[in-house]
Amino acid sequence: MASAFMGLNIAYSGLVASNAALNTTANNIANIETDGYSRQIVNQTASNPMRAFASHGCIGAGVDTLGAERVRDIYFDEKYWNNNSKLGEYEKKQYYCAIIETYLMDERGTNEVKGFTTIFNEFHSAMDSLSNHTDEVDHALEFIGKAGNLCEYFNILYNNFQKMQTDVNDEIKIKVDEINSVAEQIALLNRQINMVEANGNTVANELRDKRDLLVDQLSAVVDVTCEEKPIKDITGDDTNLNEYIVSIAGGQTLVNGYECRKLECVQREPWQKANQNDVDGLYDVVWTDTKSGLGLNAKNIRGELKGLYEMRDGNNDEAFHGKISDVNKLAKTVTIKTSESYLKDMSKSTLPTANGQIMLSGELYYYDSFSFETDEDGNTYYTFKLSEDKTRNPSMPENTIIGNNAKVGEQVNYQGIPYYLEQMNEWVRDYAYNFNKIYGVENATDYNGNTHEGDIFFTGDDGVDGGQYDLKGTSLHDKTYDSSTGTGYFMLTAGNFNVERSIENDASTLATHTGEVDGKAKYDIIDNLKDLSTNKEKMTFRGNNAASFLICLMGDSGLNAQSANSFQEIYANIEESIANSRFSISGVDSDEEAANMIKFQNAYNLASKMISILNECYDRLITQTGV
């Protein structure tokens, strides 16, 4: 038989449940603007009924309040994390593509910005003026000055791109530090959550919200997947504890329960360059425990880190690679055969001239110099002289690696900073070579009647000894080249492009003609140089004439920027849609909470009223009923 006071206990349980619901509603309203907060609800269940009379079944015993639990759907979380990684990647590309477009800008008018086309046209106009004013050194001075402006344009542009590469490299380190910080916080929260939930009766709602918010932050930096598994004891029973695992970069474990792995940025030594135009000190991202690389070049990796990596190292898939054809242990050389068209033209090459690294059959080696040769059948061979420094190459490769793959750097299929630097170098080398070939033609003569046959006008500054490279007698398109000589057009880059100093110092030594007609100097050399700008038979750049350099690069940067903008907009819209769906489940809605507040208030009042009525009944039963 039920207790006479059972009704009071039932009403009291309703009062407790309503009070808990009101408190939870108050907590939801208080956290309506809290980032990452998930709406909470009170879980209630009917209390175990009592058997009042065996023949008549059971009667209710009130309500049990199980506790407050957050409302969360892992499906939308995973969709959000996956999309957020893609959004983060294209936001970084969008930002740096806009900077590249600014660097290549050529605007006329009130807010004039002198770019390549303007500067090149001024140089061409000065050349035209020189050809129409014979025997006037002042016009030669103007022409040389405009040529210097053209060189300075490339010097500044080259340095700007290298400075941007340094900035991107520094940002990669910042993102790696952010990953490590988030991993530490998640591991700490895993421990705290298990401590709170160990008794099996409590859910660490706020701590779980903090952890999910950290995963949201992490997903923007790198792709992330999460898994939570219950921990069983040795008998297979549930311990009420969970193991939370966070994986990044295509499934590599970052956090496993209470433990987290660390990433570190290892700065490359000067002799570890993979690209001739790279700045010193680029970072390789590796795991601290295994020293293995994170693998940022993998296709399944996303996030800001991926976007930064492709912007810093993107070479349009045009890194050096080939098959090992010979190993000479005595000479300490390795010969690589390559079939790629861009590796058969030294104007396009980006190999470090000295002190570079090459991967042979999966093992890294370091070389001091390389040579290049194309045989009569059109086969191209590169022979690398491996470094004898035992700290770099403790052992030489074996002949057994012949036929295996070799590469210098990674093929990154994106038009990043290295790609633009290579394009600048290619134009500068081609233009300087063809310009010098016309300038130093047979019987080339200056204002003073002195011959300059074989001389050059454009060269490059040698940053080591402060002089300039001697390009006389060298060709850009020779079938052989040896980087150990430290000469040749391969040494010329957009960063050191300059006018030959003897001409800068004395304009009268400028070669302008090859002979005299009717007693007056004929400026045939200048006329031929003018034709170089537009005549594709004398020089082509990507199928266009020399003057189309900026059009080609602006086309590249415009397409890259458009792609980044389009994908950023697409993923931003998708993220907004997913965030709205996630908010509809987990977010705090002020109207809904206001309705809940009234609903639970009424429930609380009714439970209170029930207690008041039962109190009157008990008063009549106990104090006013006679015995």
Side-chain angles (χ1 to χ4, degrees), residues 462-476:
D462 187 346
V464 178
D465 61 12
Q468 290 184 313
Y469 293 112
D470 184 8
L471 303 181
K472 294 180 181 179
T474 62
S475 174
L476 179 62

Side-chain angles (χ1 to χ4, degrees), residues 330-350:
L330 184 63
K332 294 183 174 57
T333 61
V334 176
T335 301
I336 314 297
K337 180 182 178 180
T338 181
S339 58
E340 298 290 350
S341 59
Y342 64 86
L343 294 174
K344 296 183 178 183
D345 188 348
M346 288 305 295
S347 69
K348 302 176 185 293
S349 181
T350 59

Side-chain angles (χ1 to χ4, degrees), residues 356-600:
Q357 63 179 358
I358 181 170
M359 182 168 284
L360 305 172
S361 189
E363 295 291 333
L364 270 178
Y365 293 86
Y366 301 94
Y367 67 87
D368 292 330
S369 61
F370 71 88
S371 59
F372 159 90
E373 181 180 6
T374 301
D375 62 18
E376 295 180 354
D377 297 327
N379 298 314
T380 304
Y381 297 89
Y382 286 79
T383 299
F384 293 84
K385 180 71 171 66
L386 299 185
S387 172
E388 298 186 16
D389 188 337
K390 297 297 183 183
T391 60
R392 301 182 190 176
N393 296 327
S395 62
M396 300 300 292
E398 299 293 333
N399 292 330
T400 54
I401 68 172
I402 292 177
N404 293 346
N405 294 325
K407 63 179 182 179
V408 176
E410 296 288 343
Q411 289 182 262
V412 183
N413 191 18
Y414 186 75
Q415 293 178 349
I417 295 168
Y419 168 76
Y420 289 99
L421 292 173
E422 183 277 325
Q423 291 288 292
M424 285 186 275
N425 287 353
E426 181 183 345
W427 189 93
V428 163
R429 290 165 180 167
D430 271 339
Y431 190 76
Y433 167 71
N434 288 289
F435 194 100
N436 289 343
K437 187 169 64 173
I438 296 172
Y439 178 82
V441 71
E442 183 179 358
N443 297 324
T445 307
D446 65 16
Y447 285 90
N448 304 316
N450 299 320
T451 182
H452 290 276
E453 181 177 332
D455 283 356
I456 59 174
F457 181 85
F458 286 117
T459 183
D461 294 332
D462 187 346
V464 178
D465 61 12
Q468 290 184 313
Y469 293 112
D470 184 8
L471 303 181
K472 294 180 181 179
T474 62
S475 174
L476 179 62
H477 303 293
D478 284 340
K479 292 187 176 181
T480 61
Y481 176 75
D482 189 346
S483 71
S484 63
T485 62
T487 59
Y489 281 90
F490 183 65
M491 305 299 293
L492 182 61
T493 69
N496 59 36
F497 187 40
N498 209 342
V499 177
E500 218 281 333
R501 285 178 187 166
S502 63
I503 300 174
E504 283 188 315
N505 294 334
D506 186 356
S508 67
T509 63
L510 176 69
T512 58
H513 58 284
T514 57
E516 290 190 3
V517 177
D518 297 330
K520 297 180 67 176
K522 179 184 178 183
Y523 280 58
D524 53 347
I525 291 179
I526 304 301
D527 290 336
N528 287 332
L529 290 176
K530 286 165 54 181
D531 192 41
L532 175 63
S533 302
T534 55
N535 191 336
K536 290 197 288 186
E537 293 183 359
K538 292 183 177 180
M539 176 185 167
T540 61
F541 178 75
R542 292 168 57 175
N544 298 295
N545 58 37
S548 300
F549 166 78
L550 187 65
I551 296 174
C552 294
L553 257 64
M554 282 296 290
D556 293 334
S557 66
L559 287 174
N560 290 334
Q562 183 180 10
S563 175
N565 292 337
S566 296
F567 279 110
Q568 190 277 336
E569 184 177 356
I570 289 170
Y571 290 123
N573 291 336
I574 294 174
E575 178 163 299
E576 183 179 0
S577 176
I578 297 172
N580 289 337
S581 298
R582 190 162 71 157
F583 181 82
S584 68
I585 296 173
S586 303
V588 179
D589 182 80
S590 57
D591 293 335
E592 183 180 356
E593 296 305 320
N596 287 340
M597 182 171 58
I598 296 172
K599 179 175 66 175
F600 297 135

Side-chain angles (χ1 to χ4, degrees), residues 6 10 47-50 58-62:
M6 184 179 177
I10 292 174
S47 300
N48 292 331
M50 295 184 63
C58 304
I59 61 174

